[in-house]
Amino acid sequence: MKQPEEIFEYLKQKFGEDSIGFEAPEVGQPWIEVDASAVKDVMKFLRDDKELRFDVLMCLSGVHYPDEEAVGVTYHINSTQLKHSLALKAKAPIDNPFIQSVESVWKTANWHEREAWDMVGIKFKEHPNHKRILCAEDWEGHPLRKDYVQQEFYNGMPTGDN
Amino acid sequence: MGILDKKYHDSNIIIVNLESALNWARKNSLWYEQFGLACCAIEMMATAASRYDFDRFGIIPRSSPRQADVMIVAGTVTMKMASRIERLYEQMSEPRYVISMGSCSNCGGPYWEHGYHVLKGVDKVIPVDIYVPGCPPRPEALLEGFIKLQEKITGETIIEKEEGSSSELEEVSQAKTA
């Protein structure tokens, strides 16, 4: 069992400080910030390394950061064998919202990443089935963005109270 | 109508108004389309099960819209589902009825303003005969909705109206007051 600080130190030896960072807020869980282009390598290492063995992706959530003009993904992972868990974050600018897919690492990510695309508009590189999961395929916009404007009509049906 | 509880000894001929015979037959064999959209469907299932027992009104579920007389829109109508509901309604043969069950399908319910994905009332895509309020309505409420629908069917007429007289809904209300 390892604490997040220890895991970060361990990862730093492997990946260096360029692609990962560590943040510990006063309140809440600390997390490891991962560069969007290094996500897949880092996650694969977290899953396969003998001292980490993160075998479960508990949750993958899309986030919109309007102040930073960025979108991001938060990963919560857990090791059922070594009984430790970890939070990681990756960010990408809103006009170029590409983050590597972790579908090849944990299959759970498949639907979660589709949801993050549907709701927040994050694009996942190398995702095998990159389409909307909840909204209709021809829906306009991504509803959980803070600046989302709802379309007035969908297929001729009003979406509002009018 | 009270004809069936009488006993006939000499003759088996019953003289009855054709319209009321037809309406009597139709209102006592309301087959509903078996399809639920959200938690209201659970109440609909409870209404169909033994405690409340839809069957005693001749109301039985059908799995095909082509065999159904009435559609119970039981639950939240999302924008994605709305076009499917429209298509299912078009597949039903006439005369056909729609019961909108619960707040969501009546007016959007808890998703009334900020639910970008919910249609604010199924009556925006298909005509609704009976609105059953509740979130979700209890089985008694749904049963009462059906009884209201039976009343509506009792008042229907097969007599052709003069051209341009009125819409279907007005016809029913006229027939009721007449």
Side-chain angles (χ1 to χ4, degrees), chain A residues 119 133-136 139 143-144 148 150 154-155 157-162, chain B residues 79-80 82-84 86 107 112-120 124-125:
Chain A
M119 292 293 140
I133 191 169
L134 295 166
C135 289
W139 194 258
L144 293 193
Y148 173 66
Q150 182 178 322
Y154 171 71
N155 280 349
M157 296 176 288
T159 62
D161 275 324
N162 46 349
Chain B
M79 302 306 297
K80 211 173 172 182
S83 34
R84 275 81 172 174
E86 209 175 347
C107 60
W112 87 100
E113 199 180 338
H114 306 292
Y116 54 89
H117 62 302
V118 175
L119 188 71
K120 309 295 180 291
K124 290 195 192 301
V125 291

Side-chain angles (χ1 to χ4, degrees), chain A residues 11 42-48 52-54 77 88:
Chain A
L11 284 177
V42 172
M43 296 301 181
K44 208 167 210 126
F45 180 76
L46 285 167
R47 184 193 68 179
D48 293 338
L52 298 172
R53 290 197 188 279
F54 281 103
I77 56 177
L88 299 105

